[in-house]
Amino acid sequence: MNKKKGIFKRILTFFDKKIFMPITRCVVRIGKKLGISNKSIETWLSKSNTLLFVSLVLAVGIFIIIDQQIVVFSNKSAEVLKGQSVEAIYNEEAYVVEGLPSSVDITLMGSRSDLFIAKQSTASKVTVDLTGLRPGTHRVNIEYTQPMSSISYSVNPAVATVNIYPKVSETKTLSVDLLNQDDLDSKLVVDNVDPEVDSVVIKGASDDKAINNLDKVATVKALVNLANIDTDEAGTVTLKDVPLKAYDENGKSMNVEIVPSKIDVDVEISSPSKEVPIRVVPDGEVGFGKAISSITTSESNVIVYGPQDVLDDLEYVPAKIDVDGLTEDREYKINLDKPRGVRSMSVNNITANVTLGNSTDRDIENVNIDVRNLDSRYSVQGLSESDIMVTVNVKGVDSVISQLTSDDITAYINLKGYEPGEYEVPVKVEGTDVRVQYVSMTKKVKIRVVER
């Protein structure tokens, strides 16, 4: 009895603190504002009719609130959960499964309150139980599990046709693909890429009917994304968790298991550079009776950046100008084109001033003929003395051509693809001074190609 009395006492205390006392204070405040004395208020509150009236108002208010909540939460409703991932339960070490949808849509039906709770639940999942199934084709049910029995559901699709294959493994040599090379600083080049492993294990189906048959894998590549390298200095950068992908012989991505699936890769970066001259190259012939006397440029040299093998073969950066029909001095604004393989240049445009003078010409004799592009198994012989030397006519202003010698001129024949035998081949000439025009007086020579 004492325990029961204590319980009732605590209940009365709760109502007194939470309901009666706040109401009393509220009434007293209102009375003060209206000029009513506290004694009158106490007399009014002590009347039984007043208490009945207050109780009635409270009861009606509580009833309305509870009734509205019951209406809101008891109405039946439906919710669609789209794109729910499907989890397959099977021995992943022994089998490969194909045909299982990656996601399904779940329609939930029940009261709004239950639906709200169900959507927040982390225990819900979509599963397909393949335990105990042998290799072959099977129709399986897709199940949705959730902790609330008051919720009904439907799955779309509810059934899937899957193929189960035995899993096999194979070792593949790992290669590297460089992605987004243009995002790397233009003054930098990749010298070497060193993945932490040289080979990986791929796992998949051995059956020829499988979509991702292991025998179709032609290569496995580490996809090194150079956009992830945030530096403008040379050195070694380690990229973490570089993904690996398998491809067939047509370059199509294949969905096979790769062990490991991600690796670390060390990327060695350098910044090779070389200073080379800018050579203005006139294109066309100047006006009759005129020749180029001088060419001056705002910049004479340029620093180029690129792979070392490209820089080793680069002797100059050409700057072409159109002088065809030119009869007076002229200033040219030239945008420099990057030679093939060059990534960056310190100078991208220059100004060239061309001055003209009166043209004259002279012949330079005994210019030896060079041989280019002949197969190393063969040698070449001229059939006469006139077939091993030529006379070259040079045309330009007197102050320029008067200084030229045969050492400044190169005459050559191109014998690429020639085999043993006798031939008549054209002679070409070129010189070191771009202000001069070079013409061989001998157009063709007779030669014999022999084995060494």
Side-chain angles (χ1 to χ4, degrees), residues 93-111:
E93 292 296 323
Y95 300 110
V96 175
V97 176
E98 290 182 353
L100 193 67
S102 59
S103 63
V104 295
D105 295 339
I106 306 294
T107 301
L108 302 179
M109 291 160 286
S111 67

Side-chain angles (χ1 to χ4, degrees), residues 90-96 165-169 203-204 257 259:
Y90 66 101
N91 186 348
E92 297 183 15
E93 292 296 323
Y95 300 110
V96 175
Y165 304 101
K167 178 180 284 189
V168 294
S169 64
K203 298 181 180 182
E257 182 182 353
V259 181

Side-chain angles (χ1 to χ4, degrees), residues 254-314:
M254 299 194 65
N255 184 24
V256 297
E257 182 182 353
I258 305 174
V259 181
S261 61
K262 295 181 179 180
I263 61 171
D264 294 344
V265 176
D266 290 334
V267 182
E268 295 179 14
I269 300 174
S270 65
S271 182
S273 63
K274 181 180 181 180
E275 186 174 19
V276 295
I278 299 172
R279 180 181 294 181
V280 177
V281 181
D283 185 23
E285 295 185 7
V286 297
F288 180 76
K290 295 292 184 178
I292 297 175
S293 174
S294 66
I295 301 175
T296 59
T297 57
S298 58
E299 300 285 345
S300 57
N301 295 305
V302 57
I303 299 175
V304 293
Y305 299 85
Q308 191 61 54
D309 57 342
V310 172
L311 301 184
D312 290 341
D313 295 335
L314 189 63

Side-chain angles (χ1 to χ4, degrees), residues 329-346:
D329 299 348
R330 181 178 170 182
E331 181 181 84
Y332 292 85
K333 302 292 186 181
I334 308 171
N335 292 321
L336 299 179
D337 294 328
K338 288 187 292 189
R340 183 185 297 273
V342 171
R343 288 179 52 83
S344 180
M345 300 192 300
S346 62

